[in-house]
Amino acid sequence: YYEQGKITERKSVAMARGTRIVVSHLFSDIPVRRTFLKSDVAESNAVSRYLYTMAIGHPEISFRFYRDEKRILQTGKEQTLEETLLVLYGRSYHEALVPVKGDGMYHLTGVIGNNTYYRANRQMQFLYVNGRAIMADAIRESVESCYRAMIPNGRFPAFQLFLETDPENIDVNV
């Protein structure tokens, strides 16, 4: 256990293999930091979004997220991407999945929702390059432009895309 940056207790515990992180009273002793925090719901949603990003990007790892002792997210280990998406988003999205595959200098894999599955926001859009989650407006806009005539205005396609390439093809500063 850590409190105020110092180890307060160290003990052996019997538990399943893995890592467990419990966060409570973050910044309770640093009021200046606390003023930059948003509401509990907003901060929890940010953590949830991050864990969804990790679970989708690494379906081989099991993730569990509890907030106020209520399970928000749970995936199994050694799942496929499609199995993880079924757990996270349900059968309706799973049935709307269209596999994506492209080869060349950039190897593209993943899934995208068909034209009957769209959302009011971009929360189901995920892009990974060489295993790392990124936000790339140009790629997002390119995908969305393909759907423009097929889905209503103000709605967004869902996708989880994985781009693999030689690291020399990427400028990490952009």
Side-chain angles (χ1 to χ4, degrees), residues 94-114:
H94 189 260
E95 291 172 353
L97 293 179
V98 176
V100 174
K101 185 170 178 151
D103 283 317
M105 187 163 93
Y106 298 95
H107 179 72
L108 180 67
T109 59
V111 294
I112 193 162
N114 65 23

Side-chain angles (χ1 to χ4, degrees), residues 1-3 6-11:
Y1 292 91
Y2 282 88
E3 285 184 28
K6 294 181 173 66
I7 297 175
T8 58
E9 184 179 351
R10 190 180 288 207
K11 64 182 179 178

Side-chain angles (χ1 to χ4, degrees), residues 88-153:
L88 296 177
Y89 296 120
R91 184 149 310 281
S92 63
Y93 183 52
H94 189 260
E95 291 172 353
L97 293 179
V98 176
V100 174
K101 185 170 178 151
D103 283 317
M105 187 163 93
Y106 298 95
H107 179 72
L108 180 67
T109 59
V111 294
I112 193 162
N114 65 23
N115 65 329
T116 65
Y117 195 93
Y118 45 83
R119 305 314 291 150
N121 57 45
R122 294 183 174 102
Q123 292 298 309
M124 289 178 67
Q125 295 183 350
F126 295 87
L127 179 63
Y128 303 83
V129 175
N130 292 346
R132 296 184 68 186
I134 67 160
M135 294 187 341
D137 290 340
I139 295 172
R140 177 189 48 78
E141 289 169 8
S142 178
V143 172
E144 288 178 3
S145 72
C146 295
Y147 281 81
R148 219 164 259 133
M150 295 187 288
I151 64 176
N153 286 338

Side-chain angles (χ1 to χ4, degrees), residues 1 11-15:
Y1 292 91
K11 64 182 179 178
S12 297
V13 294
M15 64 179 274

